[in-house]
Amino acid sequence: MVTRRSFLKAGTAAGVAATVSPAGLAAASSPLASSPVIVSSGNGLPAVTKAMEMVQAGGDILDAVIAGVNIVEADPDDITVGYGGVPNERGEVELDSCVMYGPTCRSGAVASIQGIKHPSNVARLVMERTDHCLLVAKGAQEFAVMHGFKV
């Protein structure tokens, strides 16, 4: 079981080791060095479970994380994000999502998008199919519709 404290200790040790020698990062001994770590807030436990299953089965980390996030986005009882999100002052649910893929250092995001159930999937498309890093509001919704998302 990885605790917040052990995660921070391992990260600090790796950082110190990396500054001592170029090979220090690989040499840092840590229980985290050989196992994946997926972090979430309390409402994301089903997402972490799904993502970890996919990663341990050899799946791509971005596919795994987005599949997990889709679970939370689709939950009408979760008022923090996604489909069940708290409406704005006009009574409209506006959603944001951002993804970053470490191996390529590319990112994509959408903000204030309405009517799209899985904004994380749209954020990924922004990363993969555009030169932009952020699409907002009506532009984000039009981009999503253009790529087959239903409003």
Side-chain angles (χ1 to χ4, degrees), residues 66-136:
I66 289 178
V69 168
N70 285 171
I71 294 169
V72 182
E73 287 176 334
D75 183 354
D77 295 325
D78 190 324
I79 63 168
T80 63
V81 297
Y83 182 65
V86 176
N88 63 20
E89 67 280 355
R90 294 183 310 273
E92 303 161 334
V93 176
E94 295 179 311
L95 303 174
D96 307 328
S97 184
C98 178
V99 298
M100 181 176 187
Y101 192 59
T104 63
C105 294
R106 295 203 60 217
S107 64
V110 292
S112 299
I113 192 170
Q114 295 182 9
I116 303 297
K117 195 169 191 175
H118 296 290
S120 61
N121 294 345
V122 182
R124 181 181 192 162
L125 284 177
V126 170
M127 176 186 74
E128 293 175 342
R129 298 189 181 173
T130 76
D131 291 330
H132 301 285
C133 60
L134 174 65
L135 297 179
V136 179

